[in-house]
Amino acid sequence: MSSTRICPEWPQINKSDYKGIWVYVEHQNGVIKDGSLQLIGKARELAAKINTDVSAVMIGHGLGDLVKEPIYYGADRVIYVDDEALSVYMPHVYSSVIVNLVNKYKPEIVLFAATKRGRELAPYVANTLRAGITADCTDLDVDVKTRDLDQVRPTYGGNILAHIRTPNRRPQLASVRPNVFPTPPRDVNRKGEVIRESLNNLPKPNGVLLGVKSVTKGDSDLPPVEKADLVVTAGRGVSGPEGVKLLIELAKALGGTIGGTKKVTDAGWLPTDRQIGQTGKTIRPTVYIGVGVSGAIQHIFGIKESKIIVAINSDPNAPIFEYADYGIVGDYRQIVQALLELLNSRRQTVK
């Protein structure tokens, strides 16, 4: 006979008290992050299976009409806190707000996009609530009988998928990689409830915690890899920074952006925020062009949602050709130069 052991230091809960699916909606400069919108769409799908509703949680200052946006993307309700003390993101403050809201409303599932902020914030919340959390999920499902969240994430270098459940604790928390789910269509005719909460006694920064003095944007004139419709990706086969510069020229000529494999960002040829793969960004462009990319499974994980995959490699046996819709074998310098010349000639013709 099996028995379930529960940590005696954790407060006892009644699982039946917890209902509904929540999505923490991350926003910056008046724009909601795509990863949060994608999660609303997935939450809508899960909610239909267990006959429950979807709530979006927003925190900040001067939110205005932005609080209506989650409803247009599928949320039934928006619960938000708008306070001057929340004008700058501080994880211990934001997590305190979420914990207070969770304790009041008791959702059974809380989802975060696995952005830099989400990866930091979700563990704060889970630890305070003494709840289980699975980080960097790539898929979600729900058991209609137990209402347990099936949290799927790669492990052992991406070679297998782990299915993780939290059967004895509520809420169930998970962070999900952006771009693994599509963004639902925006429907301004959708109606929903908007609830403003006011919380007192927000924690204040002290001498131990660091505060944010200013935020400086990077100087890159190319969009982030997760936002672009065309991504040129540098692999170790480009041999160095000069090769990356050539690919940046190609990306600009095609109206796209530049990304890199882990080997490229580890070498410092591109910043880490342009890394694509299991430990980097997941992308869903219309066109992905991998140059000098071998095709390790960890990288393929981040590009498999691309509509068209083009591979350029001097090795005809490179694994990436197994995933490519179009493959070109040869010296990437010659191929890229030829593409640049073709693009330039077409521009001249148009003029």
Side-chain angles (χ1 to χ4, degrees):
M1 183 176 69
S2 63
S3 62
T4 301
R5 294 184 178 182
I6 300 176
C7 177
E9 296 182 3
W10 288 10
Q12 299 300 304
I13 64 164
N14 183 352
K15 286 171 55 176
S16 63
D17 292 339
Y18 292 77
K19 299 294 182 184
I21 301 176
W22 279 18
V23 176
Y24 169 69
V25 174
E26 186 178 341
H27 56 91
Q28 189 172 9
N29 299 324
V31 179
I32 294 175
K33 297 284 188 177
D34 289 343
S36 297
L37 297 176
Q38 293 157 7
L39 273 184
I40 292 174
K42 186 62 179 181
R44 181 84 270 149
E45 177 186 321
L46 298 175
K49 290 187 174 184
I50 56 175
N51 192 30
T52 193
D53 54 23
V54 176
S55 297
V57 177
M58 299 185 70
I59 300 171
H61 180 53
L63 296 176
D65 287 340
L66 192 65
V67 298
K68 299 176 183 177
E69 284 296 316
I71 292 172
Y72 301 154
Y73 285 92
D76 299 300
R77 179 187 304 105
V78 176
I79 303 169
Y80 76 101
V81 180
D82 192 320
D83 193 290
E84 188 176 358
L86 302 169
S87 58
V88 176
Y89 166 74
M90 294 290 286
H92 72 294
V93 177
Y94 271 49
S95 63
S96 175
V97 174
I98 296 172
V99 167
N100 276 281
L101 293 175
V102 167
N103 286 333
K104 177 177 180 177
Y105 288 93
K106 291 184 167 47
E108 57 195 304
I109 296 170
V110 183
L111 304 176
F112 298 79
T115 59
K116 288 182 179 179
R117 180 177 296 186
R119 285 170 171 161
E120 178 181 50
L121 187 58
Y124 268 82
V125 176
N127 179 64
T128 306
L129 292 171
R130 297 294 188 263
I133 180 172
T134 302
D136 271 12
C137 294
T138 59
D139 199 5
L140 298 171
D141 202 352
V142 64
D143 188 314
V144 295
K145 293 182 179 179
T146 64
R147 304 178 78 91
D148 290 343
L149 183 66
D150 186 16
Q151 302 151 86
V152 184
R153 60 153 297 152
T155 187
Y156 291 108
N159 293 316
I160 64 172
L161 292 175
H163 290 254
I164 301 169
R165 296 191 180 193
T166 312
N168 299 313
R169 301 298 298 173
R170 293 294 186 268
Q172 305 160 92
L173 279 75
S175 64
V176 181
R177 291 177 65 109
N179 294 321
V180 296
F181 303 131
T183 303
R186 183 174 183 265
D187 180 4
V188 296
N189 294 314
R190 287 195 84 256
K191 305 297 182 183
E193 186 179 11
V194 178
I195 303 172
R196 179 169 184 170
E197 289 283 348
S198 297
L199 300 178
N200 299 319
N201 302 318
L202 290 174
K204 305 294 183 183
N206 56 43
V208 176
L209 292 166
L210 297 176
V212 178
K213 295 295 185 182
S214 64
V215 178
T216 303
K217 291 184 67 176
D219 58 2
S220 175
D221 57 350
L222 290 173
V225 292
E226 67 272 24
K227 294 280 190 179
D229 202 41
L230 183 148
V231 180
V232 178
T233 302
R236 185 171 53 177
V238 303
S239 303
E242 291 303 315
V244 172
K245 287 181 181 178
L246 182 62
L247 297 191
I248 290 175
E249 186 180 350
L250 177 63
K252 289 181 176 179
L254 291 170
T257 196
I258 187 73
T261 63
K262 187 175 189 299
K263 293 288 186 181
V264 168
T265 57
D266 284 351
W269 303 346
L270 281 171
T272 55
D273 63 356
R274 293 196 172 273
Q275 180 189 331
I276 299 168
Q278 183 180 329
T279 56
K281 302 285 183 67
T282 300
I283 61 174
R284 303 173 68 96
T286 300
V287 180
Y288 162 94
I289 303 175
V291 184
V293 175
S294 63
I297 190 64
Q298 291 84 354
H299 181 71
I300 296 299
F301 176 84
I303 70 167
K304 62 183 181 181
E305 297 298 329
S306 305
K307 291 183 180 178
I308 299 173
I309 296 177
V310 180
I312 301 173
N313 202 299
S314 60
D315 179 5
N317 297 314
I320 194 168
F321 286 123
E322 297 178 13
Y323 304 92
D325 298 289
Y326 302 94
I328 305 172
V329 178
D331 185 324
Y332 82 89
R333 296 177 185 84
Q334 296 177 5
I335 295 166
V336 171
Q337 288 289 3
L339 283 171
L340 288 170
E341 290 173 8
L342 178 61
L343 290 167
N344 186 56
S345 67
R346 287 191 173 181
R347 282 198 201 92
Q348 297 299 327
T349 302
V350 171
K351 289 180 180 180

